[in-house]
């Protein structure tokens, strides 16, 4: 059916205003999102489960190096599920993440925990309907080398993935190191409401204590190829889709898509815990798409020797004008070759920084489909998009395509 010009204009305005978020439980997956390569077959002992009781039993008796293969189904969990064994994998047998659903039914405060072990992999499944933490790393009891791969994390009303604080006296011994979060989809069907989480009260965070990942004292984490959609607080003041803080070191956040969340990628925040003077050291944020994240697109707040490189951030009508925000102490920060489609960078620090090669303009007409979050460059704009010298530390783009010696600003190379 053909649409009148006036009605078509109204539809375009509506789509641009709401972006692309899940509605009525619909997955927001789009064809251009990152696709996870299939995992190899298990090599160690395998425990197969097909109901809730078998799942809890397998978690308790799996041996180091073993795999728990979960049959397709909807698993309504009555209580917290915990893994405490080294080198264990929990994954769907079919490899179809939307077909194995671990459901907290809106009653569980925490659904899946990892405690006092290393080498755990969680893959190819969905965690949903949880009040507080969907997947929780109990880092204060020793958790390392965790991989969370190709999972869906949906309707978790505080943090999809939480890495808890490690007390200062045990920090170097217990620091969560060498973890990966890759090819996951985080999304909520709607903004958070008070009834989702009784701990988030009007006199506390006002329904805004919500985000995607919140990890403290992380060491050498890789957060890549994930998609975050519609993670929003009750009044639009939610926390980061990716939030690293409290002495995180040497982490890489790359090739992610953050769409219509309150906050995008946050290196630190303005609160310093006792004994902490720097939130993030030598962390790198590169080749990400960030779309309409009004609180912060990309934030650097109490960092040291970090890098924000070749990201594309789109929000021409941003209410707070924080596509990239640099605040408090950020000595040694490098902000280079980013494309800011909207207001200019907010620099609220006198720190010694290197800022170069960034471009600020409303570039919505350059992108494949900005309303839906696709910030890949259209072929026809090749002649007008500025080129910069390729950096040794950003050799490819958001799709893993090699960059030319004279490469485009932002996350996408032609």
């Amino acid at each position: 059916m053909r649409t009148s010009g006036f009605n078509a204009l109204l539809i375009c305005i509506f789509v641009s205003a709401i972006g692309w978020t899940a509605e009525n439980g619909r997955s927001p997956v789009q064809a251009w999102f990152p696709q996870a390569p299939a995992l190899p077959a298990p090599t160690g002992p395998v425990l197969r489960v097909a109901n809730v009781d078998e799942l809890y039993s397998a978690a308790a008796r799996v041996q180091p190096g073993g795999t728990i293969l979960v049959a397709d189904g909807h698993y309504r969990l009555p209580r917290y599920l915990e893994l405490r064994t080294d080198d264990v994998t929990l994954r769907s047998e079919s490899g179809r993440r939307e077909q194995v659903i671990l459901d907290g039914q809106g009653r569980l405060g925490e659904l899946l925990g990892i405690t006092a072990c290393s080498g755990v992999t969680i893959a190819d499944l969905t965690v949903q309907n949880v009040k507080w933490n969907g997947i929780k790393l109990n880092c204060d009891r020793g958790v390392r080398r965790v991989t969370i791969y190709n999972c869906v994390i949906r309707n978790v009303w505080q943090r999809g993935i939480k890495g808890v604080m490690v007390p200062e006296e045990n920090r170097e011994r217990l620091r969560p190191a060498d973890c990966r979060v890759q090819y996951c989809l985080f999304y909520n069907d709607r903004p958070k409401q008070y009834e989702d989480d009784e701990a988030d009260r009007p006199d506390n965070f006002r329904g805004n204590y919500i985000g995607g990942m919140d990890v403290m004292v992380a060491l050498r984490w890789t957060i890549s190829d994930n998609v975050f959609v519609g993670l929003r607080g009750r009044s639009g003041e939610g926390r980061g889709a990716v939030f690293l803080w409290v002495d995180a070191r040497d982490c890489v956040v790359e090739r992610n898509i953050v769409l219509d969340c309150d906050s995008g990628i946050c290196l630190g925040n303005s609160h310093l815990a006792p004994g902490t003077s720097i939130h993030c050291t030598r962390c790198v944020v590169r080749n990400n798409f960030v779309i309409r994240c009004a609180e912060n697109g990309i934030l650097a707040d109490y960092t040291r020797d970090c890098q924000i490189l070749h990201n594309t951030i789109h929000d021409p009508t941003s209410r707070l004008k924080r596509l990239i925000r640099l605040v408090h102490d950020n000595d040694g920060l490098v902000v280079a070759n980013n494309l800011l489609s909207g207001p200019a960078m907010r620099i609220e620090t006198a720190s010694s920084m290197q800022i170069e090669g960034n471009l600020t303009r409303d570039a919505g007409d350059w992108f494949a489909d900005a309303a839906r979050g696709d910030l890949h460059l259209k072929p026809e704009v090749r002649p007008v998009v500025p080129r910069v010298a390729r950096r040794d530390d950003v050799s490819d783009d958001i799709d893993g395509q090699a960059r030319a010696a004279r490469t485009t600003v932002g996350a996408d190379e032609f």
Side-chain angles (χ1 to χ4, degrees):
M1 181 179 69
R2 296 181 68 87
T3 305
S4 72
F6 178 73
N7 286 339
L9 176 62
L10 289 179
I11 290 169
C12 288
I13 292 171
F14 178 71
V15 170
S16 296
I18 65 169
W20 179 254
T21 56
E23 296 175 358
N24 302 320
R26 256 188 332 116
S27 169
V29 168
Q30 301 184 59
W32 57 273
F33 284 176
Q35 302 295 313
L39 292 177
T43 57
V46 171
L47 298 175
R48 287 181 165 82
V49 304
N51 60 54
V52 169
D53 289 340
E54 291 175 354
L55 179 59
Y56 284 103
S57 175
R61 62 191 177 88
V62 65
Q63 297 299 304
T67 296
I68 302 170
L69 287 182
V70 186
D72 287 356
H74 196 140
Y75 296 76
R76 295 172 174 83
L77 301 191
R79 63 187 186 278
Y80 175 66
L81 175 66
E82 190 169 61
L83 299 174
R84 303 180 62 97
T85 306
D86 290 345
D87 301 316
V88 160
T89 297
L90 172 67
R91 59 189 280 197
S92 67
E93 185 162 13
S94 68
R96 296 179 296 176
R97 65 186 185 181
E98 71 282 356
Q99 296 300 317
V100 170
I101 300 173
L102 307 185
D103 196 333
Q105 307 176 77
R107 297 199 296 266
L108 293 186
E110 295 175 339
L111 188 140
L112 177 57
I114 304 170
T115 303
C117 57
S118 65
V120 168
T121 296
I122 300 168
D124 300 334
L125 51 77
T126 294
V127 168
Q128 71 177 30
N129 298 331
V130 185
K131 288 194 292 186
W132 303 331
N133 299 310
I135 300 175
K136 184 181 180 185
L137 280 62
N138 292 305
C139 308
D140 54 337
R141 284 171 276 177
V143 175
R144 290 174 176 254
R145 296 190 300 107
V146 170
T147 298
I148 302 171
Y149 185 87
N150 193 38
C151 291
V152 175
I153 298 174
R154 173 186 172 219
N155 292 345
V156 178
W157 299 113
Q158 284 192 9
R159 303 292 190 265
I161 296 174
K162 176 69 173 181
V164 306
M165 173 71 88
V166 177
E168 191 173 3
E169 61 271 19
N170 295 323
R171 191 162 294 171
E172 297 313 313
R173 181 172 62 87
L174 296 178
R175 185 185 290 274
D178 302 309
C179 298
R180 303 181 66 88
V181 180
Q182 194 169 24
Y183 293 107
C184 292
L185 170 65
F186 298 70
Y187 77 99
N188 290 345
D189 295 342
R190 53 170 175 77
K192 183 176 183 176
Q193 302 299 315
Y194 285 132
E195 56 267 27
D196 297 318
D197 172 15
E198 68 276 9
D200 193 353
R201 305 179 305 274
D203 61 346
N204 192 7
F205 294 100
R206 298 178 295 131
N208 292 295
Y209 192 69
I210 184 169
M213 294 180 55
D214 177 337
V215 183
M216 293 176 270
V217 302
L219 176 64
R220 296 189 301 271
W221 280 50
T222 299
I223 300 165
S224 69
D225 306 289
N226 305 289
V227 179
F228 304 82
V229 181
L231 306 182
R232 294 171 291 171
R234 188 188 62 85
S235 60
E237 301 169 272
R239 278 50 182 170
V242 177
F243 179 26
L244 298 173
W245 64 313
V246 188
D247 195 20
R249 303 179 190 173
D250 301 305
C251 298
V252 176
V253 183
E254 63 181 350
R255 300 191 304 271
N256 301 285
I257 300 159
V258 186
L259 173 58
D260 290 318
C261 298
D262 286 343
S263 288
I265 300 169
C266 299
L267 300 182
N269 71 358
S270 296
H271 171 72
L272 289 174
T276 300
S277 59
I278 297 295
H279 280 309
C280 295
T281 302
R282 297 182 303 277
C283 294
V284 179
V285 177
R286 66 189 176 205
N287 284 336
N288 301 282
F289 286 167
V290 181
I291 306 98
R292 293 183 297 270
C293 297
E295 283 288 298
N296 296 286
I298 298 177
L299 171 68
D301 195 345
Y302 291 116
T303 71
R304 184 66 48 82
D305 297 330
C306 291
Q307 297 179 309
I308 300 172
L309 310 173
H310 272 290
N311 301 282
T312 301
I313 310 100
H314 176 73
D315 194 359
T317 60
S318 175
R319 62 183 172 84
L320 295 178
K321 299 178 172 59
R322 296 175 177 173
L323 276 66
I324 293 181
R325 186 185 185 207
L326 316 176
V327 61
H328 295 121
D329 299 331
N330 290 290
D331 283 346
L333 180 67
V334 179
V335 185
N337 302 346
N338 300 283
L339 173 55
L340 287 76
S341 177
M345 195 179 309
R346 289 283 295 271
I347 301 176
E348 305 169 41
T349 173
S351 298
S352 175
M353 302 179 295
Q354 178 183 341
I355 300 177
E356 62 184 22
N358 304 289
L359 176 67
T360 301
R361 77 181 301 273
D362 184 346
D365 58 339
W366 287 1
F367 302 135
D369 192 343
R372 291 166 63 91
D374 188 351
L375 305 187
H376 289 94
L377 297 167
K378 294 188 291 191
E380 57 265 32
V381 303
R382 180 190 294 265
V384 300
V385 177
R387 299 276 178 163
V388 293
R390 182 181 61 211
R391 297 178 58 96
D392 291 341
D393 45 11
V394 192
S395 60
D396 55 13
D397 75 346
I398 190 169
D399 302 309
Q401 175 181 317
R403 289 187 177 273
R406 295 291 295 175
T407 186
T408 52
V409 295
D412 184 36
E413 169 70 278
F414 283 110

